[in-house]
Amino acid sequence: MDDDLKAKLTLEAQATGGDELRAMAEQVRAMGQDAGASAPKLNALAAVLDHVADQQQLIDSFKAGKRAVAELEAQMGAAATQVEQLAAEQERAAQAAAAAAAAQANGARQLEAARAAQQGYKEAIAAARAELAQLRDAGKAGMTPELAAQTKVAAEQLKLLQGEARKSGEQIKLLAAEQEAGAQASRDTAAAQQQAGAAYDRSVKAAGQISGALGEQRRALEGTREALRGAGVDSD
């Protein structure tokens, strides 16, 4: 069979597909069974049709493989970008969680110190009241100028301590509210960090799956390329 016929059949295969040529080959082969002296030529034609159909099937498979590789490469690029973005988000979430935890710990220390100071004020007020009571009891027997001065100082000291205690109580309320808000912020940022970590892990897994599929598709494409070379078709 001459090269011109093969070229025409190749063009026909590209236009109609290899399946059409295979059907034609079967028809020609069936005709050859009752063709007598023409049978060898018909069988040869059927063989050419099969060969061209095989080549076209490989070409079609190669084209489909290239498209699949290109699609997977695009998916891999998008997946890699997503992994980078989620890694950055995970880092930001970790920093936010660490900052919130540090703020909560600092708030807890401040609240503890304020409560300790409040207890100190309570003890000082109790002592000042006892001292004032003693001075007043002593004054009942006879109030001297010196005793009156001491009583006045003790009363002023008690009043001052009570004022500081009230301020301390207000500070404790404020610090307790801040501590509760800080605890909630710490819980929220910890949850956000966990979610960011889970999203990152999922993206890494997805990227790995795409990478595996891409590797398999590239190997399959290379196998088709070798088959084309073996069939005398240049795939480049």
Side-chain angles (χ1 to χ4, degrees):
M1 198 64 57
D2 60 28
D3 293 337
D4 288 342
L5 178 57
K6 290 183 179 180
K8 291 178 181 179
L9 291 174
T10 299
L11 291 175
E12 180 68 19
Q14 292 173 351
T16 63
D19 291 340
E20 293 290 335
L21 289 185
R22 290 189 190 282
M24 290 174 59
E26 290 300 322
Q27 292 175 1
V28 171
R29 192 172 288 107
M31 291 170 57
Q33 293 178 356
D34 300 321
S38 299
K41 291 184 178 181
L42 291 173
N43 288 334
L45 175 59
V48 171
L49 289 169
D50 283 334
H51 178 69
V52 174
D54 289 340
Q55 286 184 331
Q56 189 59 41
Q57 183 178 8
L58 286 173
I59 292 171
D60 292 341
S61 177
F62 184 75
K63 290 179 179 178
K66 287 186 70 174
R67 288 193 298 270
V69 166
E71 290 174 0
L72 286 171
E73 286 176 342
Q75 292 178 21
M76 190 66 225
T81 299
Q82 186 178 44
V83 167
E84 291 180 0
Q85 292 174 343
L86 290 175
E89 290 180 11
Q90 184 183 32
E91 179 61 25
R92 287 192 294 271
Q95 292 175 354
Q104 182 187 9
N106 184 56
R109 287 191 296 270
Q110 291 180 349
L111 181 58
E112 183 180 0
R115 285 173 174 165
Q118 179 74 352
Q119 183 60 35
Y121 283 125
K122 288 180 180 180
E123 294 172 359
I125 287 172
R129 280 175 176 165
E131 181 183 359
L132 181 59
Q134 290 177 355
L135 290 172
R136 285 173 175 171
D137 287 342
K140 291 178 181 179
M143 183 64 70
T144 64
E146 182 180 359
L147 186 57
Q150 291 176 350
T151 302
K152 181 179 179 182
V153 170
E156 290 176 350
Q157 181 64 25
L158 176 59
K159 184 177 180 180
L160 177 63
L161 288 171
Q162 289 173 331
E164 292 298 321
R166 283 192 295 272
K167 292 179 182 178
S168 177
E170 292 300 321
Q171 184 183 27
I172 287 174
K173 291 180 181 179
L174 178 61
L175 289 173
E178 291 178 351
Q179 175 66 4
E180 178 58 29
Q184 184 60 52
S186 183
R187 289 191 292 270
D188 291 344
T189 54
Q193 180 184 10
Q194 185 176 12
Q195 292 174 355
Y200 173 76
D201 291 341
R202 288 194 298 270
S203 70
V204 170
K205 182 179 179 179
Q209 292 173 340
I210 294 173
S211 178
L214 178 58
E216 291 180 3
Q217 191 61 52
R218 282 173 172 167
R219 287 189 291 273
L221 181 63
E222 187 58 31
T224 305
R225 188 193 302 274
E226 290 300 322
L228 283 171
R229 288 173 181 168
V233 179
D234 186 5
S235 62
D236 295 331

